[in-house]
Amino acid sequence: PVQAMSSLSALANLQQRDLASASVFASVLCGTSEVHWHWAKSPQCLRQLRSMDCVSFEESKCRAVMDQLDSSRCVEILQSLSSLELNSRLTCHMTALLCSLLAPQLHDLRAKEVIVVARAFSPERIPDVFWSRGKLSGAHPSCLTDGSIDSEGPSRWRERALDLCFQSLRRHEHFLDTTYFALLPFKLLCLQVNLGTFDTRKLEEFLNPMLLA
């Protein structure tokens, strides 16, 4: 798993979108012997998924693989999938599981890592069907849910996830304010939320007080 993660990260750093290699690495990280060769042309193709069934994904096997990796390496997988624009039902399952594992550890992550996790909660990366069908237990961990959120659906769940990420970023506020390479992706995240990319309310409507107001 470590070699597969490192190889996928190397492809992302070199911006080499080799789908054949990525298929092998992604399948290894999911703990499946069957290589997943099918990729969506655009993340928008996955946004309105009506079914999340993926014959090559088994949550227990993927979780066993991810348990061998530390949190920073799990974040690196999320970053690599995003950088290479690898979009498929398999990556949706993997992203949902990784986010469920990382959500309780947000306060232990670095600022840039928290931002990577926050951006992974977008509807393109984890479609609404993961919430509404509830077949993947890892898709919405207990720290992201309560009774009111359960009854109101995925948009409030995403708001809760984003709120947790922004709360974790508060301890990095000075670092974000003074470090351009970290401030830029943070501002991009804020812009995405406020433009409706996450299908949530604007930040000022559910985040109080505002971070870096």
Side-chain angles (χ1 to χ4, degrees):
V2 175
Q3 291 180 338
M5 181 278 302
S6 299
S7 299
L8 188 65
S9 178
L11 287 179
N13 291 334
L14 295 172
Q15 286 297 295
Q16 294 295 316
R17 194 170 182 265
D18 186 333
L19 294 182
S21 299
S23 296
V24 175
F25 301 145
S27 298
V28 170
L29 292 171
C30 284
T32 176
S33 58
E34 179 183 352
V35 178
H36 180 86
W37 300 106
H38 304 290
W39 300 99
K41 294 181 179 180
S42 165
Q44 297 297 325
C45 298
L46 302 172
R47 191 181 182 99
Q48 301 299 330
L49 272 182
R50 296 183 180 276
S51 170
M52 65 179 191
D53 295 334
C54 180
V55 294
S56 57
F57 181 84
E58 292 184 37
E59 182 185 351
S60 59
K61 290 184 178 180
C62 186
R63 185 180 291 272
V65 172
M66 297 306 171
D67 284 342
Q68 300 177 45
L69 304 175
D70 60 32
S71 57
S72 292
R73 285 173 172 166
C74 289
V75 173
E76 198 165 348
I77 294 173
L78 288 177
Q79 179 64 45
S80 299
L81 294 176
S82 177
S83 297
L84 294 172
E85 298 183 354
L86 298 176
N87 308 296
S88 70
R89 293 174 187 267
L90 187 71
T91 60
C92 287
H93 280 273
M94 192 191 309
T95 299
L97 182 58
L98 283 169
C99 286
S100 76
L101 294 173
L102 291 169
Q105 307 176 45
L106 288 173
H107 284 288
D108 297 326
L109 301 180
R110 294 175 295 178
K112 290 192 68 176
E113 293 174 336
V114 176
I115 295 172
V116 170
V117 175
R119 296 185 68 185
F121 281 109
S122 69
E124 292 84 5
R125 306 283 298 279
I126 308 179
D128 288 351
V129 68
F130 278 80
W131 174 272
S132 58
R133 300 295 174 83
K135 291 182 180 178
L136 181 64
S137 60
H140 38 82
S142 58
C143 66
L144 300 182
T145 61
D146 57 36
S148 61
I149 296 175
D150 287 338
S151 64
E152 295 182 30
S155 64
R156 287 302 177 90
W157 165 71
R158 292 186 202 284
E159 287 181 8
R160 173 62 176 159
L162 288 169
D163 183 55
L164 286 178
C165 291
F166 277 98
Q167 295 300 335
S168 297
L169 286 171
R170 290 188 186 280
R171 66 189 183 90
H172 301 289
E173 189 165 355
H174 178 72
F175 174 76
L176 288 172
D177 199 25
T178 57
T179 311
Y180 178 76
F181 73 84
L183 182 62
L184 188 61
F186 172 75
K187 291 295 186 181
L188 179 59
L189 171 64
C190 295
L191 183 63
Q192 287 179 302
V193 176
N194 286 332
L195 288 178
T197 304
F198 283 78
D199 289 341
T200 63
R201 294 173 293 172
K202 292 184 177 181
L203 285 175
E204 60 265 23
E205 296 181 37
F206 68 89
L207 185 66
N208 185 38
M210 290 289 291
L211 180 65
L212 292 178

